[in-house]
Amino acid sequence: MIARCFCRSMLLSLSLMLLAPLAVAQEACLHLTATGNPEYPPYLWRDPQNPQQLIGANADLLKHLGEQLGVQINVIYGGPWSRAQEEVRTGQIDLMAGYFMTQARQQVVDFITPAFLHTPSVVWVRQEAAFTYSGWADLKGHNGGTLVSNSHGQQFDDYAKTNLTLEAVPSARQAFEKLLHKRNDFLIYEQYPGMALVRTLGVDGELKVLAPPVSSEGLYLAMSRASPCNTAAFQARLATAMKAIVDGPLPEALVKRNLERWKLQH
């Protein structure tokens, strides 16, 4: 009888020991961190009042998503774009607030579908040095610029790797300055963030966008494979809530609202 009670007591103690870390993990997953490209207005940029936080359309959307799920999503500055991606890859930050889907990225993060916004990537050139352009092949023979670890969609990335000369730098500001200083003939960068940065630099009249865009890619929420909160059940909850948001007018409304917000700040 004593032995039986002792065994039950041991089993109960063991069960409590196993359940305790699970309870802690569940509590921790009520508070998630997210990051993204900090030079990406109107989607994301550093808060002038609190530079360790990111604000913008993507940040507002993730906060709304968190409210729908009953969790807090804190959108923080994770460093320059290349470092922010590394922070998510290693699980130091749980979520990427806006990511183009590529084969390489699918190996280290789980993409939550559907995409919550789409953004075109375009060819930026100096006004006086514009060249004939109607498609990717017209970029051959010109020295181009891009950002470290940036993507413009799997198809264009594959084409550029084989056919184009693209020099990568860490920041968008540096990339535009290289173009302005004639160290590149063109720059591949997203249209709206580029427009915002060009206005900030005061060089609207010196640069132009060539049509058509090289790509138009979806911005996805992505979750680190190394995040302790990444479970199939939580991914399913994120996907269901995201679909409900995307089916409504909120994403585009947030872009318009944050375009005005950016203009007022700059």
Side-chain angles (χ1 to χ4, degrees):
M1 183 70 176
I2 294 174
R4 185 179 299 171
C5 290
F6 177 75
C7 288
R8 286 178 180 171
S9 177
M10 287 292 291
L11 286 172
L12 179 60
S13 298
L14 182 60
S15 297
L16 290 173
M17 289 174 64
L18 292 172
L19 288 172
L22 178 61
V24 171
Q26 288 176 336
E27 176 65 24
C29 291
L30 294 177
H31 302 274
L32 301 167
T33 53
T35 193
N37 188 340
E39 297 183 298
Y40 211 53
Y43 306 109
L44 283 177
W45 70 95
R46 298 178 77 178
D47 185 349
Q49 305 303 317
N50 183 4
Q52 294 308 306
Q53 297 290 127
L54 297 183
I55 57 177
N58 294 7
D60 289 348
L61 188 141
L62 258 65
K63 288 175 183 175
H64 178 80
L65 175 68
E67 290 170 359
Q68 300 303 299
L69 295 174
V71 301
Q72 181 181 349
I73 302 178
N74 188 22
V75 186
I76 61 175
Y77 173 63
W81 182 218
S82 57
R83 195 179 106 203
Q85 292 178 75
E86 183 66 12
E87 292 286 292
V88 173
R89 187 190 70 79
T90 58
Q92 301 302 307
I93 297 176
D94 301 297
L95 299 162
M96 182 65 78
Y99 218 18
F100 290 173
M101 187 185 293
T102 69
Q103 293 170 358
R105 291 173 177 179
Q106 286 178 298
Q107 304 305 310
V108 293
V109 297
D110 290 310
F111 285 85
I112 306 302
T113 56
F116 57 84
L117 283 166
H118 285 77
T119 182
S121 294
V122 296
V123 180
W124 292 86
V125 296
R126 296 182 303 280
Q127 284 277 7
E128 83 284 356
F131 50 84
T132 301
Y133 169 79
S134 60
W136 299 350
D138 294 322
L139 300 175
K140 290 182 179 180
H142 297 282
N143 181 34
T146 186
L147 266 63
V148 174
S149 301
N150 211 11
S151 168
H152 303 288
Q154 187 69 57
Q155 287 185 311
F156 181 78
D157 291 351
D158 291 344
Y159 179 86
K161 186 176 181 180
T162 304
N163 298 282
L164 303 182
T165 301
L166 295 179
E167 299 174 352
V169 294
S171 75
R173 180 181 289 268
Q174 186 177 351
F176 274 96
E177 287 174 346
K178 280 190 69 178
L179 178 62
L180 287 164
H181 294 153
K182 302 181 181 181
R183 292 168 60 192
N184 289 134
D185 301 323
F186 68 90
L187 169 65
I188 305 294
Y189 195 62
E190 289 87 330
Q191 184 170 4
Y192 294 123
M195 288 168 59
L197 182 55
V198 163
R199 287 171 186 156
T200 303
L201 294 173
V203 293
D204 306 53
E206 298 180 44
L207 299 176
K208 66 180 294 185
V209 169
L210 302 181
V214 298
S215 63
S216 182
E217 294 295 314
L219 284 174
Y220 291 86
L221 176 64
M223 193 164 197
S224 172
R225 294 263 176 89
S227 168
C229 301
N230 191 345
T231 65
F234 191 64
Q235 283 187 43
R237 289 180 64 204
L238 286 171
T240 299
M242 186 64 81
K243 186 176 186 308
I245 293 171
V246 171
D247 285 344
L250 183 64
E252 292 297 336
L254 291 177
V255 172
K256 292 178 182 177
R257 184 188 308 169
N258 280 281
L259 272 171
E260 293 304 314
R261 187 181 186 184
W262 171 263
K263 289 176 186 177
L264 289 172
Q265 287 185 358
H266 296 80

